Amino acid sequence: MRISELSARSGVAIPTIKYYLREGMLHQGEQTAATRAEYDESHLRRLRLIRALLEVGRLPVAAIKQVIAAVEDETLPMHHMLGIAHWALGPTVEPEQGEEWRTARAEVDRLVGELGWTVADDAPTRDELAQTLVRMRQLGLHVDLAPYVEAARKLVTEVEMATIPFDGPRDAAVEALVLGTVLYGKAFDTLRRMAQESESAHRVGLR
């Protein structure tokens, strides 16, 4: 397909496609003339991935380049490639000083071990959860993660992982991870707030 058709099918403007080509985020098409190139379904998949990372994941261009580099590195196992995308989606958390932080971080490490989860020692999610525990305790909240752990385990093992094509195109696998993590995460949070409103009304006798 010509770049005009690629633009029409992907919903990405031609100048933006040319920018992605210059930046190496989108692989070059097959040159058929001095000023003409042909593109295929792989370019369409890559544009969908870039849009997902940019518009849904809200990632900066530098982070998107890192994810795409992982996608293009065929020597990188699928698990590690998805891990790079997953880590890019999370916030940057700087480890804190003090006993509160050390206690929370040790608690997270112990929880991961007890659950038998395979989570890298330097995974940013460990620090992210530790920071959350610190803030909860500083605000006087009771910390009981057990029901949330079970809900997360069930959602991931029974639903979410089934949406990722582990044996399909690498672009499509990362796109599914991004969309599932961000959009389903947002939907889940919204449903919780709706359920909270409904339960509050029920407890005070409102219909």
PDB file of all heavy atoms in Angstrom, residues 49 73 92 95 180:
ATOM      1  N   LEU A  49       0.678  -0.013  17.408  1.00  0.00           N
ATOM      2  CA  LEU A  49       1.456  -0.117  18.636  1.00  0.00           C
ATOM      3  C   LEU A  49       1.912   1.263  19.091  1.00  0.00           C
ATOM      4  O   LEU A  49       1.780   1.609  20.275  1.00  0.00           O
ATOM      5  CB  LEU A  49       2.663  -1.027  18.424  1.00  0.00           C
ATOM      6  CG  LEU A  49       3.678  -1.062  19.575  1.00  0.00           C
ATOM      7  CD1 LEU A  49       3.009  -1.538  20.862  1.00  0.00           C
ATOM      8  CD2 LEU A  49       4.858  -1.949  19.216  1.00  0.00           C
ATOM      9  N   ASP A  73      14.178  -6.533  18.535  1.00  0.00           N
ATOM     10  CA  ASP A  73      15.288  -7.418  18.908  1.00  0.00           C
ATOM     11  C   ASP A  73      14.772  -8.853  19.023  1.00  0.00           C
ATOM     12  O   ASP A  73      14.311  -9.273  20.072  1.00  0.00           O
ATOM     13  CB  ASP A  73      15.903  -6.956  20.229  1.00  0.00           C
ATOM     14  CG  ASP A  73      17.131  -7.776  20.617  1.00  0.00           C
ATOM     15  OD1 ASP A  73      17.484  -8.719  19.882  1.00  0.00           O
ATOM     16  OD2 ASP A  73      17.727  -7.463  21.668  1.00  0.00           O
ATOM     17  N   THR A  92       7.824   6.200  37.802  1.00  0.00           N
ATOM     18  CA  THR A  92       9.170   6.092  38.353  1.00  0.00           C
ATOM     19  C   THR A  92       9.110   6.381  39.849  1.00  0.00           C
ATOM     20  O   THR A  92       8.653   7.448  40.259  1.00  0.00           O
ATOM     21  CB  THR A  92      10.125   7.088  37.671  1.00  0.00           C
ATOM     22  OG1 THR A  92      10.180   6.792  36.268  1.00  0.00           O
ATOM     23  CG2 THR A  92      11.533   6.977  38.261  1.00  0.00           C
ATOM     24  N   PRO A  95      13.335   5.029  45.670  1.00  0.00           N
ATOM     25  CA  PRO A  95      13.345   4.451  47.023  1.00  0.00           C
ATOM     26  C   PRO A  95      13.587   5.535  48.076  1.00  0.00           C
ATOM     27  O   PRO A  95      14.384   6.450  47.865  1.00  0.00           O
ATOM     28  CB  PRO A  95      14.513   3.464  46.967  1.00  0.00           C
ATOM     29  CG  PRO A  95      14.619   3.100  45.527  1.00  0.00           C
ATOM     30  CD  PRO A  95      14.286   4.359  44.773  1.00  0.00           C
ATOM     31  N   GLY A 180      -4.551  -3.768  27.456  1.00  0.00           N
ATOM     32  CA  GLY A 180      -5.138  -4.495  28.574  1.00  0.00           C
ATOM     33  C   GLY A 180      -4.777  -3.883  29.907  1.00  0.00           C
ATOM     34  O   GLY A 180      -5.635  -3.688  30.779  1.00  0.00           O
TER      35      GLY A 180
END
